[in-house]
């Protein structure tokens, strides 16, 4: 596997998070059902994952299904769940052979047992990989994640494992689904919407954002490269003043 980190933009993002939006509109523009767009969107993921090592991106986190997406029609939700199952079955071999370590974040309780088993299996099969860390947010919502984290933290306090006076900014993230990941450096949202829609709220407190018009099924590795180059020119001050 030939990585080309030398071609990666100097000072590019190490962790990129993407809100993959616009599948429905992409399909509607073509007079096709929304699921047609979701299938086209799923096919874009491979090219983007494969572009990561060459761009110096070690962590890629993608928003596949939000805690709010259950509000969609039963047909769309069932179609998406079936697509996730098929995606895992179809991509497991390529992901593991390409050195991709896959993790899922989000609450699994509402997911069906078959899907959960496939997710567990993909995580286990790729657990030894370290070339790219792909995190898939599935039934993920930041507020839900923080609520679940707070519940566990409160349990630790109630059972004497944690003292309230020891809770600080370092403590809560250890309870988040993302506890093993660094914070995102760059958050990209496709489809022209300039909102976060409950994605990585705590983790992206100091991320750079790119809201681009491209619909997700049209997004390419070239476009990702352009955004990484643009990121590398930004001055991240984290509240300080450059001297
Ligand atoms: C993003 O595309 C994929 C999911 C939310 C599952 P959308 O389905 O939101 O596409 P638009 O926003 O309706 O075009
Ligand atoms: C955000 O997109 C969720 C995913 C991309 C999975 P949505 O299309 O659900 O967000 P809203 O409804 O436009 O805010
Ligand atoms: Mg949308």
């Amino acid at each position: 596997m030939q990585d080309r980190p030398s071609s990666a933009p100097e000072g590019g993002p190490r962790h990129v998070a993407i809100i993959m939006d616009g599948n429905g509109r992409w399909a509607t523009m073509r007079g096709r059902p929304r699921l047609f767009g979701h299938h086209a969107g799923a096919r874009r993921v491979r090219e983007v994952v494969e572009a990561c090592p060459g761009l110096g991106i070690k962590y890629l986190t993608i928003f596949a299904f939000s805690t709010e997406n259950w509000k969609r029609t039963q047909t769309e939700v069932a179609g998406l769940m079936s697509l996730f199952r098929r995606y895992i079955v179809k991509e497991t071999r390529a992901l593991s052979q390409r050195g991709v370590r896959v993790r899922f974040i989000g609450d699994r309780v509402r997911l069906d047992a078959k899907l959960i088993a496939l997710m567990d299996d993909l995580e286990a099969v790729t657990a030894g990989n370290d070339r790219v860390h792909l995190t898939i947010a599935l039934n993920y919502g930041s507020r839900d994640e923080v609520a679940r984290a707070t519940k566990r933290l409160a349990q630790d306090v109630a059972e004497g494992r944690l003292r309230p006076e020891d809770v600080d900014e370092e403590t809560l993230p250890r309870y988040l689904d993302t506890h093993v990941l660094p914070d995102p450096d760059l958050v990209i949202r496709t489809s022209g919407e300039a909102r976060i829609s409950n994605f990585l709220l705590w983790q992206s407190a100091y991320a750079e954002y790119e809201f681009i018009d491209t619909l997700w099924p049209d997004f390419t590795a070239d476009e990702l490269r352009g955004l990484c180059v643009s990121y590398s020119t930004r001055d991240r001050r984290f509240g300080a003043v450059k001297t």
Side-chain angles (χ1 to χ4, degrees):
M1 201 67 47
Q2 206 58 39
D3 287 351
R4 294 172 290 107
S6 55
S7 70
E10 181 85 20
R14 186 163 168 262
H15 183 175
V16 174
I18 307 182
I19 302 172
M20 308 183 292
D21 198 14
N23 295 348
R25 277 163 282 172
W26 186 90
T28 303
M29 280 164 57
R30 286 161 178 76
R32 305 296 296 268
R34 295 176 56 83
L35 271 166
F36 181 72
H38 294 312
H39 281 267
R43 283 195 295 275
R44 297 316 304 158
V45 174
R46 191 188 272 210
E47 178 182 321
V48 170
V49 173
E50 287 182 3
C52 286
L55 293 171
I57 299 168
K58 189 80 182 169
Y59 295 89
L60 176 71
T61 299
I62 54 176
F63 203 2
F65 190 89
S66 78
T67 46
E68 288 71 34
N69 287 149
W70 298 103
K71 294 176 194 163
R72 298 186 178 197
T73 63
Q74 207 267 334
T75 309
E76 184 168 353
V77 170
L80 279 164
M81 294 300 149
S82 154
L83 171 62
F84 298 143
R85 288 193 298 269
R86 282 168 56 175
Y87 174 83
I88 295 174
V89 170
K90 194 164 148 256
E91 294 295 315
T92 292
R93 184 203 287 257
L95 289 165
S96 50
Q97 284 179 350
R98 288 178 170 82
V100 181
R101 177 163 188 174
V102 183
R103 295 183 179 89
F104 290 90
I105 56 171
D107 193 356
R108 295 184 183 198
V109 291
R110 268 183 93 170
L111 304 178
D112 74 66
K114 175 89 190 300
L115 177 57
I116 295 171
L118 289 166
M119 290 159 68
D120 282 341
D121 186 53
L122 181 55
E123 285 186 332
V125 166
T126 61
N129 289 343
D130 184 45
R131 189 159 161 258
V132 183
H133 292 247
L134 171 66
T135 302
I136 303 174
L138 216 168
N139 192 27
Y140 175 86
S142 256
R143 289 179 171 182
D144 173 70
E145 177 192 35
V146 170
R148 286 186 287 105
T150 308
K151 203 178 290 180
R152 287 198 301 276
L153 188 150
Q155 246 152 21
D156 280 352
V157 169
E159 290 163 21
R161 287 186 293 274
L162 181 68
R163 297 186 308 171
E165 56 270 35
D166 291 336
V167 176
D168 59 18
E169 282 187 27
E170 312 289 316
T171 317
L172 185 67
R174 290 205 294 265
Y175 290 84
L176 296 176
D177 297 350
T178 51
H179 61 98
V180 294
L181 305 176
D183 285 343
D185 299 303
L186 173 64
V187 177
I188 299 166
R189 182 174 189 143
T190 56
S191 91
E193 311 293 355
R195 57 176 170 263
I196 301 307
S197 301
N198 205 8
F199 189 46
L200 301 176
L201 299 180
W202 172 285
Q203 298 87 338
S204 299
Y206 263 104
E208 299 291 324
Y209 287 92
E210 287 279 6
F211 298 100
I212 59 168
D213 287 336
T214 308
L215 301 174
W216 174 253
D218 292 328
F219 188 77
T220 61
D222 270 351
E223 197 159 12
L224 178 61
R225 163 172 287 280
L227 296 172
C228 289
V229 170
S230 159
Y231 168 93
S232 69
T233 65
R234 295 190 189 187
D235 183 14
R236 297 182 77 189
R237 290 185 288 275
F238 299 99
V241 175
K242 279 268 168 66
T243 49

